Amino acid sequence: MIKKLTSLALILSLVMSLFAVPTFASTEKTMDIDIGEDYEVKKFEDGRISPVSFAEELTESQLENILVEMGFSKDEISDMGITLKKRLVSDGGKKVKTTPVHATYRTGDGKNEVTFEGESIDEIKEQ
């Protein structure tokens, strides 16, 4: 009798846990973004894209659509290679705005300074 009650209590607790789990789920709102060919990605209300596990299967056009949803401009996307596009989409997230980088160099005599500004240190090195 005790074994039956213990088994019944265990089964009831497992069934009750099925109803309790959704209350612990995230309350963050998402929306599904259709990218064609029966593929959808989730976009959170703060603009983040959920990581995409099937990025390798997507066409370049689909990858670019997701990158636009992540906040990248068409110019930025056109400068990216296919490998970078797949990597960014598979990682998910959103583009973060950055502040320009400043670098100041002294000339050989030590008296004059030259300041360069750009989006990255590589851009400054090119200047």
Side-chain angles (χ1 to χ4, degrees):
M1 179 74 175
I2 293 178
K3 283 187 177 183
K4 287 184 181 182
L5 287 176
T6 305
S7 299
L8 181 61
L10 178 63
I11 291 171
L12 284 174
S13 66
L14 289 174
V15 170
M16 293 301 287
S17 70
L18 292 175
F19 297 109
V21 171
T23 61
F24 297 113
S26 174
T27 58
E28 195 168 15
K29 294 181 181 177
T30 62
M31 60 190 218
D32 293 330
I33 307 288
D34 182 25
I35 56 168
E37 297 183 26
D38 298 327
Y39 289 117
E40 288 185 345
V41 294
K42 294 213 177 289
K43 184 173 184 177
F44 297 95
E45 62 184 333
D46 65 358
R48 289 176 295 128
I49 296 291
S50 181
V52 178
S53 62
F54 50 87
E56 293 291 327
E57 302 169 16
L58 300 176
T59 65
E60 191 164 5
S61 174
Q62 291 171 319
L63 292 168
E64 290 173 359
N65 290 340
I66 295 171
L67 290 168
V68 167
E69 291 291 336
M70 293 171 80
F72 290 94
S73 71
K74 295 282 187 184
D75 290 337
E76 291 171 321
I77 294 170
S78 67
D79 291 340
M80 295 178 190
I82 188 72
T83 306
L84 179 58
K85 290 176 185 177
K86 288 180 181 179
R87 173 73 190 269
L88 291 172
V89 169
S90 67
D91 289 347
K94 74 175 187 176
K95 181 183 176 214
V96 178
K97 293 183 181 180
T98 59
T99 57
V101 177
H102 301 279
T104 302
Y105 296 97
R106 291 188 189 267
T107 57
D109 62 7
K111 296 178 182 176
N112 297 315
E113 292 183 347
V114 179
T115 302
F116 296 97
E117 182 177 314
E119 294 295 319
S120 68
I121 195 69
D122 292 329
E123 187 178 326
I124 291 174
K125 286 179 182 178
E126 286 179 21
Q127 294 176 16

